[in-house]
PDB file of all heavy atoms in Angstrom:
ATOM      1  N   TYR Q  85       0.828  -1.187  -0.002  1.00  0.00           N
ATOM      2  CA  TYR Q  85      -0.018  -0.008  -0.015  1.00  0.00           C
ATOM      3  C   TYR Q  85       0.866   1.300  -0.006  1.00  0.00           C
ATOM      4  O   TYR Q  85       1.893   1.395   0.713  1.00  0.00           O
ATOM      5  CB  TYR Q  85      -0.908   0.017   1.233  1.00  0.00           C
ATOM      6  CG  TYR Q  85      -2.014  -0.948   1.234  1.00  0.00           C
ATOM      7  CD1 TYR Q  85      -1.784  -2.319   1.454  1.00  0.00           C
ATOM      8  CD2 TYR Q  85      -3.282  -0.571   0.856  1.00  0.00           C
ATOM      9  CE1 TYR Q  85      -2.778  -3.212   1.409  1.00  0.00           C
ATOM     10  CE2 TYR Q  85      -4.388  -1.459   0.883  1.00  0.00           C
ATOM     11  CZ  TYR Q  85      -4.090  -2.791   1.145  1.00  0.00           C
ATOM     12  OH  TYR Q  85      -5.068  -3.701   1.048  1.00  0.00           O
ATOM     13  N   VAL Q  86       0.364   2.222  -0.718  1.00  0.00           N
ATOM     14  CA  VAL Q  86       0.883   3.622  -0.533  1.00  0.00           C
ATOM     15  C   VAL Q  86       0.117   4.158   0.653  1.00  0.00           C
ATOM     16  O   VAL Q  86      -1.100   4.047   0.754  1.00  0.00           O
ATOM     17  CB  VAL Q  86       0.657   4.480  -1.777  1.00  0.00           C
ATOM     18  CG1 VAL Q  86       0.938   5.934  -1.437  1.00  0.00           C
ATOM     19  CG2 VAL Q  86       1.585   4.043  -2.901  1.00  0.00           C
ATOM     20  N   MET Q  87       0.855   4.785   1.560  1.00  0.00           N
ATOM     21  CA  MET Q  87       0.253   5.354   2.794  1.00  0.00           C
ATOM     22  C   MET Q  87       0.317   6.865   2.663  1.00  0.00           C
ATOM     23  O   MET Q  87       1.331   7.428   2.175  1.00  0.00           O
ATOM     24  CB  MET Q  87       1.038   4.839   4.045  1.00  0.00           C
ATOM     25  CG  MET Q  87       1.062   3.345   4.166  1.00  0.00           C
ATOM     26  SD  MET Q  87      -0.561   2.608   4.343  1.00  0.00           S
ATOM     27  CE  MET Q  87      -1.082   3.342   5.853  1.00  0.00           C
ATOM     28  N   GLY Q  88      -0.748   7.473   3.122  1.00  0.00           N
ATOM     29  CA  GLY Q  88      -0.723   8.906   3.000  1.00  0.00           C
ATOM     30  C   GLY Q  88      -1.407   9.654   4.202  1.00  0.00           C
ATOM     31  O   GLY Q  88      -2.033   9.004   5.028  1.00  0.00           O
ATOM     32  N   TRP Q  89      -1.234  10.959   4.277  1.00  0.00           N
ATOM     33  CA  TRP Q  89      -1.956  11.767   5.258  1.00  0.00           C
ATOM     34  C   TRP Q  89      -2.680  12.829   4.458  1.00  0.00           C
ATOM     35  O   TRP Q  89      -2.162  13.426   3.533  1.00  0.00           O
ATOM     36  CB  TRP Q  89      -0.934  12.445   6.217  1.00  0.00           C
ATOM     37  CG  TRP Q  89      -0.325  11.482   7.199  1.00  0.00           C
ATOM     38  CD1 TRP Q  89       0.808  10.788   7.007  1.00  0.00           C
ATOM     39  CD2 TRP Q  89      -0.835  11.058   8.431  1.00  0.00           C
ATOM     40  NE1 TRP Q  89       1.126  10.045   8.135  1.00  0.00           N
ATOM     41  CE2 TRP Q  89       0.056  10.179   9.026  1.00  0.00           C
ATOM     42  CE3 TRP Q  89      -2.020  11.431   9.127  1.00  0.00           C
ATOM     43  CZ2 TRP Q  89      -0.117   9.576  10.262  1.00  0.00           C
ATOM     44  CZ3 TRP Q  89      -2.175  10.840  10.396  1.00  0.00           C
ATOM     45  CH2 TRP Q  89      -1.292   9.917  10.919  1.00  0.00           C
ATOM     46  N   PHE Q  90      -3.882  13.030   4.956  1.00  0.00           N
ATOM     47  CA  PHE Q  90      -4.734  14.072   4.401  1.00  0.00           C
ATOM     48  C   PHE Q  90      -5.241  14.905   5.606  1.00  0.00           C
ATOM     49  O   PHE Q  90      -5.150  14.460   6.765  1.00  0.00           O
ATOM     50  CB  PHE Q  90      -5.956  13.535   3.670  1.00  0.00           C
ATOM     51  CG  PHE Q  90      -5.565  12.878   2.328  1.00  0.00           C
ATOM     52  CD1 PHE Q  90      -4.933  11.677   2.265  1.00  0.00           C
ATOM     53  CD2 PHE Q  90      -6.016  13.480   1.161  1.00  0.00           C
ATOM     54  CE1 PHE Q  90      -4.639  11.093   1.100  1.00  0.00           C
ATOM     55  CE2 PHE Q  90      -5.722  12.883  -0.089  1.00  0.00           C
ATOM     56  CZ  PHE Q  90      -4.968  11.710  -0.132  1.00  0.00           C
ATOM     57  N   ARG Q  91      -5.759  16.083   5.347  1.00  0.00           N
ATOM     58  CA  ARG Q  91      -6.346  16.895   6.397  1.00  0.00           C
ATOM     59  C   ARG Q  91      -7.578  17.650   5.947  1.00  0.00           C
ATOM     60  O   ARG Q  91      -7.718  17.884   4.797  1.00  0.00           O
ATOM     61  CB  ARG Q  91      -5.196  17.832   6.959  1.00  0.00           C
ATOM     62  CG  ARG Q  91      -4.848  18.928   5.989  1.00  0.00           C
ATOM     63  CD  ARG Q  91      -3.649  19.755   6.586  1.00  0.00           C
ATOM     64  NE  ARG Q  91      -3.309  20.876   5.673  1.00  0.00           N
ATOM     65  CZ  ARG Q  91      -2.229  21.646   5.830  1.00  0.00           C
ATOM     66  NH1 ARG Q  91      -1.452  21.438   6.943  1.00  0.00           N
ATOM     67  NH2 ARG Q  91      -1.893  22.595   5.001  1.00  0.00           N
ATOM     68  N   GLN Q  92      -8.443  17.948   6.905  1.00  0.00           N
ATOM     69  CA  GLN Q  92      -9.540  18.634   6.644  1.00  0.00           C
ATOM     70  C   GLN Q  92      -9.806  19.734   7.760  1.00  0.00           C
ATOM     71  O   GLN Q  92     -10.055  19.359   8.917  1.00  0.00           O
ATOM     72  CB  GLN Q  92     -10.800  17.692   6.519  1.00  0.00           C
ATOM     73  CG  GLN Q  92     -12.090  18.346   6.030  1.00  0.00           C
ATOM     74  CD  GLN Q  92     -13.117  17.368   5.577  1.00  0.00           C
ATOM     75  OE1 GLN Q  92     -13.068  16.200   5.894  1.00  0.00           O
ATOM     76  NE2 GLN Q  92     -14.084  17.841   4.901  1.00  0.00           N
ATOM     77  N   ALA Q  93      -9.852  20.938   7.308  1.00  0.00           N
ATOM     78  CA  ALA Q  93     -10.072  22.007   8.194  1.00  0.00           C
ATOM     79  C   ALA Q  93     -11.587  22.344   8.196  1.00  0.00           C
ATOM     80  O   ALA Q  93     -12.264  21.984   7.152  1.00  0.00           O
ATOM     81  CB  ALA Q  93      -9.317  23.274   7.802  1.00  0.00           C
ATOM     82  N   PRO Q  94     -12.100  22.970   9.226  1.00  0.00           N
ATOM     83  CA  PRO Q  94     -13.538  23.347   9.241  1.00  0.00           C
ATOM     84  C   PRO Q  94     -13.981  24.128   8.047  1.00  0.00           C
ATOM     85  O   PRO Q  94     -13.360  25.136   7.680  1.00  0.00           O
ATOM     86  CB  PRO Q  94     -13.694  24.145  10.552  1.00  0.00           C
ATOM     87  CG  PRO Q  94     -12.543  23.691  11.397  1.00  0.00           C
ATOM     88  CD  PRO Q  94     -11.419  23.434  10.451  1.00  0.00           C
ATOM     89  N   GLY Q  95     -15.046  23.624   7.411  1.00  0.00           N
ATOM     90  CA  GLY Q  95     -15.611  24.361   6.239  1.00  0.00           C
ATOM     91  C   GLY Q  95     -14.803  24.196   4.999  1.00  0.00           C
ATOM     92  O   GLY Q  95     -15.175  24.790   4.012  1.00  0.00           O
ATOM     93  N   LYS Q  96     -13.802  23.332   4.991  1.00  0.00           N
ATOM     94  CA  LYS Q  96     -12.973  23.096   3.790  1.00  0.00           C
ATOM     95  C   LYS Q  96     -12.989  21.647   3.399  1.00  0.00           C
ATOM     96  O   LYS Q  96     -13.358  20.750   4.197  1.00  0.00           O
ATOM     97  CB  LYS Q  96     -11.556  23.540   4.045  1.00  0.00           C
ATOM     98  CG  LYS Q  96     -11.360  25.088   4.287  1.00  0.00           C
ATOM     99  CD  LYS Q  96      -9.939  25.477   4.338  1.00  0.00           C
ATOM    100  CE  LYS Q  96      -9.809  26.962   4.484  1.00  0.00           C
ATOM    101  NZ  LYS Q  96      -8.341  27.356   4.547  1.00  0.00           N
ATOM    102  N   GLU Q  97     -12.618  21.378   2.161  1.00  0.00           N
ATOM    103  CA  GLU Q  97     -12.536  20.048   1.675  1.00  0.00           C
ATOM    104  C   GLU Q  97     -11.295  19.356   2.244  1.00  0.00           C
ATOM    105  O   GLU Q  97     -10.254  20.031   2.513  1.00  0.00           O
ATOM    106  CB  GLU Q  97     -12.572  19.975   0.182  1.00  0.00           C
ATOM    107  CG  GLU Q  97     -13.869  20.473  -0.460  1.00  0.00           C
ATOM    108  CD  GLU Q  97     -14.039  20.083  -1.941  1.00  0.00           C
ATOM    109  OE1 GLU Q  97     -13.041  19.541  -2.509  1.00  0.00           O
ATOM    110  OE2 GLU Q  97     -15.092  20.297  -2.498  1.00  0.00           O
ATOM    111  N   ARG Q  98     -11.359  18.052   2.160  1.00  0.00           N
ATOM    112  CA  ARG Q  98     -10.208  17.255   2.567  1.00  0.00           C
ATOM    113  C   ARG Q  98      -9.065  17.393   1.602  1.00  0.00           C
ATOM    114  O   ARG Q  98      -9.306  17.395   0.388  1.00  0.00           O
ATOM    115  CB  ARG Q  98     -10.552  15.805   2.720  1.00  0.00           C
ATOM    116  CG  ARG Q  98      -9.532  14.959   3.446  1.00  0.00           C
ATOM    117  CD  ARG Q  98     -10.077  13.582   3.798  1.00  0.00           C
ATOM    118  NE  ARG Q  98     -11.224  13.632   4.721  1.00  0.00           N
ATOM    119  CZ  ARG Q  98     -11.804  12.583   5.261  1.00  0.00           C
ATOM    120  NH1 ARG Q  98     -11.327  11.348   5.025  1.00  0.00           N
ATOM    121  NH2 ARG Q  98     -12.856  12.739   5.990  1.00  0.00           N
ATOM    122  N   GLU Q  99      -7.836  17.570   2.066  1.00  0.00           N
ATOM    123  CA  GLU Q  99      -6.775  17.921   1.084  1.00  0.00           C
ATOM    124  C   GLU Q  99      -5.566  16.986   1.422  1.00  0.00           C
ATOM    125  O   GLU Q  99      -5.286  16.561   2.574  1.00  0.00           O
ATOM    126  CB  GLU Q  99      -6.348  19.337   1.222  1.00  0.00           C
ATOM    127  CG  GLU Q  99      -5.728  19.776   2.504  1.00  0.00           C
ATOM    128  CD  GLU Q  99      -5.205  21.205   2.471  1.00  0.00           C
ATOM    129  OE1 GLU Q  99      -5.366  21.879   1.453  1.00  0.00           O
ATOM    130  OE2 GLU Q  99      -4.588  21.615   3.514  1.00  0.00           O
ATOM    131  N   PHE Q 100      -4.835  16.740   0.362  1.00  0.00           N
ATOM    132  CA  PHE Q 100      -3.664  15.861   0.518  1.00  0.00           C
ATOM    133  C   PHE Q 100      -2.552  16.553   1.277  1.00  0.00           C
ATOM    134  O   PHE Q 100      -2.354  17.805   1.068  1.00  0.00           O
ATOM    135  CB  PHE Q 100      -3.173  15.539  -0.949  1.00  0.00           C
ATOM    136  CG  PHE Q 100      -1.828  14.861  -0.971  1.00  0.00           C
ATOM    137  CD1 PHE Q 100      -1.728  13.522  -0.694  1.00  0.00           C
ATOM    138  CD2 PHE Q 100      -0.662  15.630  -1.333  1.00  0.00           C
ATOM    139  CE1 PHE Q 100      -0.453  12.907  -0.727  1.00  0.00           C
ATOM    140  CE2 PHE Q 100       0.554  15.025  -1.388  1.00  0.00           C
ATOM    141  CZ  PHE Q 100       0.650  13.602  -1.070  1.00  0.00           C
ATOM    142  N   VAL Q 101      -1.834  15.826   2.105  1.00  0.00           N
ATOM    143  CA  VAL Q 101      -0.684  16.429   2.842  1.00  0.00           C
ATOM    144  C   VAL Q 101       0.603  15.700   2.339  1.00  0.00           C
ATOM    145  O   VAL Q 101       1.615  16.454   1.972  1.00  0.00           O
ATOM    146  CB  VAL Q 101      -0.885  16.210   4.338  1.00  0.00           C
ATOM    147  CG1 VAL Q 101       0.366  16.699   5.096  1.00  0.00           C
ATOM    148  CG2 VAL Q 101      -2.084  16.975   4.798  1.00  0.00           C
ATOM    149  N   ALA Q 102       0.675  14.367   2.469  1.00  0.00           N
ATOM    150  CA  ALA Q 102       1.912  13.694   2.140  1.00  0.00           C
ATOM    151  C   ALA Q 102       1.587  12.202   1.881  1.00  0.00           C
ATOM    152  O   ALA Q 102       0.616  11.702   2.393  1.00  0.00           O
ATOM    153  CB  ALA Q 102       2.942  13.803   3.292  1.00  0.00           C
ATOM    154  N   ALA Q 103       2.464  11.556   1.146  1.00  0.00           N
ATOM    155  CA  ALA Q 103       2.338  10.123   0.870  1.00  0.00           C
ATOM    156  C   ALA Q 103       3.723   9.467   0.779  1.00  0.00           C
ATOM    157  O   ALA Q 103       4.700  10.101   0.446  1.00  0.00           O
ATOM    158  CB  ALA Q 103       1.537   9.854  -0.427  1.00  0.00           C
ATOM    159  N   ILE Q 104       3.670   8.175   1.035  1.00  0.00           N
ATOM    160  CA  ILE Q 104       4.963   7.426   0.967  1.00  0.00           C
ATOM    161  C   ILE Q 104       4.731   6.026   0.432  1.00  0.00           C
ATOM    162  O   ILE Q 104       3.695   5.358   0.772  1.00  0.00           O
ATOM    163  CB  ILE Q 104       5.601   7.362   2.370  1.00  0.00           C
ATOM    164  CG1 ILE Q 104       7.051   6.796   2.311  1.00  0.00           C
ATOM    165  CG2 ILE Q 104       4.783   6.618   3.367  1.00  0.00           C
ATOM    166  CD1 ILE Q 104       7.823   7.050   3.585  1.00  0.00           C
ATOM    167  N   ARG Q 105       5.673   5.523  -0.377  1.00  0.00           N
ATOM    168  CA  ARG Q 105       5.556   4.190  -0.944  1.00  0.00           C
ATOM    169  C   ARG Q 105       6.309   3.195  -0.059  1.00  0.00           C
ATOM    170  O   ARG Q 105       7.017   3.519   0.799  1.00  0.00           O
ATOM    171  CB  ARG Q 105       6.087   4.189  -2.317  1.00  0.00           C
ATOM    172  CG  ARG Q 105       5.590   3.176  -3.257  1.00  0.00           C
ATOM    173  CD  ARG Q 105       6.022   3.434  -4.741  1.00  0.00           C
ATOM    174  NE  ARG Q 105       7.451   3.095  -4.906  1.00  0.00           N
ATOM    175  CZ  ARG Q 105       7.896   1.997  -5.477  1.00  0.00           C
ATOM    176  NH1 ARG Q 105       7.046   1.128  -5.978  1.00  0.00           N
ATOM    177  NH2 ARG Q 105       9.152   1.776  -5.626  1.00  0.00           N
ATOM    178  N   TRP Q 106       6.076   1.935  -0.362  1.00  0.00           N
ATOM    179  CA  TRP Q 106       6.819   0.849   0.340  1.00  0.00           C
ATOM    180  C   TRP Q 106       8.288   1.138   0.302  1.00  0.00           C
ATOM    181  O   TRP Q 106       8.835   1.605  -0.699  1.00  0.00           O
ATOM    182  CB  TRP Q 106       6.531  -0.507  -0.476  1.00  0.00           C
ATOM    183  CG  TRP Q 106       7.142  -1.660   0.117  1.00  0.00           C
ATOM    184  CD1 TRP Q 106       7.192  -1.991   1.438  1.00  0.00           C
ATOM    185  CD2 TRP Q 106       7.764  -2.686  -0.596  1.00  0.00           C
ATOM    186  NE1 TRP Q 106       7.839  -3.231   1.558  1.00  0.00           N
ATOM    187  CE2 TRP Q 106       8.204  -3.651   0.330  1.00  0.00           C
ATOM    188  CE3 TRP Q 106       8.051  -2.920  -1.935  1.00  0.00           C
ATOM    189  CZ2 TRP Q 106       8.907  -4.802   0.005  1.00  0.00           C
ATOM    190  CZ3 TRP Q 106       8.738  -4.058  -2.299  1.00  0.00           C
ATOM    191  CH2 TRP Q 106       9.214  -5.007  -1.342  1.00  0.00           C
ATOM    192  N   ARG Q 107       8.927   0.857   1.459  1.00  0.00           N
ATOM    193  CA  ARG Q 107      10.348   1.081   1.704  1.00  0.00           C
ATOM    194  C   ARG Q 107      10.726   2.534   1.687  1.00  0.00           C
ATOM    195  O   ARG Q 107      11.866   2.859   1.886  1.00  0.00           O
ATOM    196  CB  ARG Q 107      11.193   0.398   0.617  1.00  0.00           C
ATOM    197  CG  ARG Q 107      11.170  -1.160   0.742  1.00  0.00           C
ATOM    198  CD  ARG Q 107      12.092  -1.735  -0.354  1.00  0.00           C
ATOM    199  NE  ARG Q 107      12.060  -3.185  -0.273  1.00  0.00           N
ATOM    200  CZ  ARG Q 107      12.661  -4.046  -1.102  1.00  0.00           C
ATOM    201  NH1 ARG Q 107      13.291  -3.457  -2.185  1.00  0.00           N
ATOM    202  NH2 ARG Q 107      12.680  -5.282  -0.960  1.00  0.00           N
ATOM    203  N   GLY Q 108       9.740   3.414   1.545  1.00  0.00           N
ATOM    204  CA  GLY Q 108       9.967   4.827   1.602  1.00  0.00           C
ATOM    205  C   GLY Q 108      10.782   5.376   0.475  1.00  0.00           C
ATOM    206  O   GLY Q 108      11.411   6.449   0.615  1.00  0.00           O
ATOM    207  N   ASP Q 109      10.812   4.631  -0.634  1.00  0.00           N
ATOM    208  CA  ASP Q 109      11.679   5.103  -1.763  1.00  0.00           C
ATOM    209  C   ASP Q 109      11.048   6.140  -2.667  1.00  0.00           C
ATOM    210  O   ASP Q 109      11.583   6.623  -3.613  1.00  0.00           O
ATOM    211  CB  ASP Q 109      12.144   3.939  -2.640  1.00  0.00           C
ATOM    212  CG  ASP Q 109      10.974   3.124  -3.199  1.00  0.00           C
ATOM    213  OD1 ASP Q 109       9.841   3.440  -2.855  1.00  0.00           O
ATOM    214  OD2 ASP Q 109      11.242   2.244  -3.954  1.00  0.00           O
ATOM    215  N   SER Q 110       9.810   6.474  -2.313  1.00  0.00           N
ATOM    216  CA  SER Q 110       9.117   7.523  -3.088  1.00  0.00           C
ATOM    217  C   SER Q 110       8.223   8.250  -2.049  1.00  0.00           C
ATOM    218  O   SER Q 110       7.409   7.597  -1.338  1.00  0.00           O
ATOM    219  CB  SER Q 110       8.298   6.968  -4.141  1.00  0.00           C
ATOM    220  OG  SER Q 110       7.506   7.974  -4.765  1.00  0.00           O
ATOM    221  N   THR Q 111       8.295   9.559  -2.000  1.00  0.00           N
ATOM    222  CA  THR Q 111       7.428  10.362  -1.167  1.00  0.00           C
ATOM    223  C   THR Q 111       6.878  11.522  -2.058  1.00  0.00           C
ATOM    224  O   THR Q 111       7.421  11.897  -3.087  1.00  0.00           O
ATOM    225  CB  THR Q 111       8.191  10.993  -0.028  1.00  0.00           C
ATOM    226  OG1 THR Q 111       9.250  11.736  -0.401  1.00  0.00           O
ATOM    227  CG2 THR Q 111       8.691   9.908   0.895  1.00  0.00           C
ATOM    228  N   ALA Q 112       5.727  12.095  -1.537  1.00  0.00           N
ATOM    229  CA  ALA Q 112       5.215  13.235  -2.142  1.00  0.00           C
ATOM    230  C   ALA Q 112       4.579  14.120  -1.079  1.00  0.00           C
ATOM    231  O   ALA Q 112       4.138  13.674  -0.043  1.00  0.00           O
ATOM    232  CB  ALA Q 112       4.054  12.818  -3.147  1.00  0.00           C
ATOM    233  N   TYR Q 113       4.672  15.465  -1.346  1.00  0.00           N
ATOM    234  CA  TYR Q 113       4.182  16.380  -0.339  1.00  0.00           C
ATOM    235  C   TYR Q 113       3.381  17.478  -0.991  1.00  0.00           C
ATOM    236  O   TYR Q 113       3.681  17.931  -2.194  1.00  0.00           O
ATOM    237  CB  TYR Q 113       5.338  17.009   0.383  1.00  0.00           C
ATOM    238  CG  TYR Q 113       6.190  16.099   1.271  1.00  0.00           C
ATOM    239  CD1 TYR Q 113       7.283  15.480   0.714  1.00  0.00           C
ATOM    240  CD2 TYR Q 113       5.857  15.927   2.585  1.00  0.00           C
ATOM    241  CE1 TYR Q 113       8.103  14.636   1.506  1.00  0.00           C
ATOM    242  CE2 TYR Q 113       6.602  15.079   3.411  1.00  0.00           C
ATOM    243  CZ  TYR Q 113       7.666  14.475   2.861  1.00  0.00           C
ATOM    244  OH  TYR Q 113       8.438  13.578   3.677  1.00  0.00           O
ATOM    245  N   ALA Q 114       2.360  18.019  -0.310  1.00  0.00           N
ATOM    246  CA  ALA Q 114       1.720  19.199  -0.710  1.00  0.00           C
ATOM    247  C   ALA Q 114       2.731  20.356  -0.598  1.00  0.00           C
ATOM    248  O   ALA Q 114       3.544  20.375   0.308  1.00  0.00           O
ATOM    249  CB  ALA Q 114       0.509  19.469   0.149  1.00  0.00           C
ATOM    250  N   ASP Q 115       2.591  21.325  -1.483  1.00  0.00           N
ATOM    251  CA  ASP Q 115       3.508  22.496  -1.458  1.00  0.00           C
ATOM    252  C   ASP Q 115       3.439  23.188  -0.158  1.00  0.00           C
ATOM    253  O   ASP Q 115       4.399  23.755   0.310  1.00  0.00           O
ATOM    254  CB  ASP Q 115       3.128  23.446  -2.615  1.00  0.00           C
ATOM    255  CG  ASP Q 115       3.516  22.948  -3.998  1.00  0.00           C
ATOM    256  OD1 ASP Q 115       4.345  22.015  -4.092  1.00  0.00           O
ATOM    257  OD2 ASP Q 115       2.989  23.418  -5.010  1.00  0.00           O
ATOM    258  N   SER Q 116       2.279  23.270   0.487  1.00  0.00           N
ATOM    259  CA  SER Q 116       2.082  23.976   1.717  1.00  0.00           C
ATOM    260  C   SER Q 116       2.861  23.429   2.849  1.00  0.00           C
ATOM    261  O   SER Q 116       3.024  24.102   3.865  1.00  0.00           O
ATOM    262  CB  SER Q 116       0.542  24.106   2.067  1.00  0.00           C
ATOM    263  OG  SER Q 116       0.053  22.756   2.213  1.00  0.00           O
ATOM    264  N   VAL Q 117       3.296  22.126   2.780  1.00  0.00           N
ATOM    265  CA  VAL Q 117       4.023  21.560   3.916  1.00  0.00           C
ATOM    266  C   VAL Q 117       5.437  21.183   3.582  1.00  0.00           C
ATOM    267  O   VAL Q 117       6.143  20.700   4.496  1.00  0.00           O
ATOM    268  CB  VAL Q 117       3.265  20.322   4.477  1.00  0.00           C
ATOM    269  CG1 VAL Q 117       1.788  20.694   4.716  1.00  0.00           C
ATOM    270  CG2 VAL Q 117       3.307  19.125   3.406  1.00  0.00           C
ATOM    271  N   LYS Q 118       5.848  21.327   2.326  1.00  0.00           N
ATOM    272  CA  LYS Q 118       7.258  20.966   1.955  1.00  0.00           C
ATOM    273  C   LYS Q 118       8.247  21.722   2.787  1.00  0.00           C
ATOM    274  O   LYS Q 118       8.139  22.953   3.053  1.00  0.00           O
ATOM    275  CB  LYS Q 118       7.443  21.307   0.464  1.00  0.00           C
ATOM    276  CG  LYS Q 118       6.889  20.226  -0.452  1.00  0.00           C
ATOM    277  CD  LYS Q 118       7.185  20.595  -1.942  1.00  0.00           C
ATOM    278  CE  LYS Q 118       6.566  19.570  -2.867  1.00  0.00           C
ATOM    279  NZ  LYS Q 118       6.799  19.940  -4.281  1.00  0.00           N
ATOM    280  N   GLY Q 119       9.215  20.968   3.264  1.00  0.00           N
ATOM    281  CA  GLY Q 119      10.283  21.625   4.091  1.00  0.00           C
ATOM    282  C   GLY Q 119       9.938  21.665   5.580  1.00  0.00           C
ATOM    283  O   GLY Q 119      10.757  21.943   6.406  1.00  0.00           O
ATOM    284  N   ARG Q 120       8.608  21.390   5.924  1.00  0.00           N
ATOM    285  CA  ARG Q 120       8.253  21.448   7.312  1.00  0.00           C
ATOM    286  C   ARG Q 120       7.802  20.089   7.819  1.00  0.00           C
ATOM    287  O   ARG Q 120       7.992  19.762   8.994  1.00  0.00           O
ATOM    288  CB  ARG Q 120       7.120  22.371   7.517  1.00  0.00           C
ATOM    289  CG  ARG Q 120       7.458  23.865   7.069  1.00  0.00           C
ATOM    290  CD  ARG Q 120       6.383  24.858   7.493  1.00  0.00           C
ATOM    291  NE  ARG Q 120       5.056  24.557   6.744  1.00  0.00           N
ATOM    292  CZ  ARG Q 120       3.939  24.290   7.432  1.00  0.00           C
ATOM    293  NH1 ARG Q 120       3.878  24.318   8.768  1.00  0.00           N
ATOM    294  NH2 ARG Q 120       2.848  24.032   6.758  1.00  0.00           N
ATOM    295  N   PHE Q 121       7.177  19.320   6.972  1.00  0.00           N
ATOM    296  CA  PHE Q 121       6.594  18.022   7.326  1.00  0.00           C
ATOM    297  C   PHE Q 121       7.481  16.929   6.718  1.00  0.00           C
ATOM    298  O   PHE Q 121       7.932  17.060   5.578  1.00  0.00           O
ATOM    299  CB  PHE Q 121       5.197  17.786   6.845  1.00  0.00           C
ATOM    300  CG  PHE Q 121       4.149  18.693   7.523  1.00  0.00           C
ATOM    301  CD1 PHE Q 121       4.509  19.686   8.404  1.00  0.00           C
ATOM    302  CD2 PHE Q 121       2.800  18.448   7.334  1.00  0.00           C
ATOM    303  CE1 PHE Q 121       3.514  20.496   9.030  1.00  0.00           C
ATOM    304  CE2 PHE Q 121       1.856  19.216   7.963  1.00  0.00           C
ATOM    305  CZ  PHE Q 121       2.202  20.215   8.812  1.00  0.00           C
TER     306      PHE Q 121
END
């Protein structure tokens, strides 16, 4: 499985935050969290 994190603020749609593939050899981040998460 690819595992990911999403978030949903009040009154907003659920949005992608980050994801990671098996063995961690591929990751993806939302621009809003890059460098911090």
Side-chain angles (χ1 to χ4, degrees):
Y85 289 76
V86 169
M87 304 297 297
W89 289 93
F90 289 70
R91 66 187 182 186
Q92 188 165 15
K96 295 187 177 181
E97 293 195 356
R98 194 169 299 188
E99 64 176 5
F100 170 77
V101 175
I104 188 166
R105 206 171 72 106
W106 182 44
R107 293 180 179 173
D109 59 353
S110 175
T111 58
Y113 294 91
D115 288 343
S116 59
V117 306
K118 280 182 182 176
R120 301 188 297 123
F121 291 10

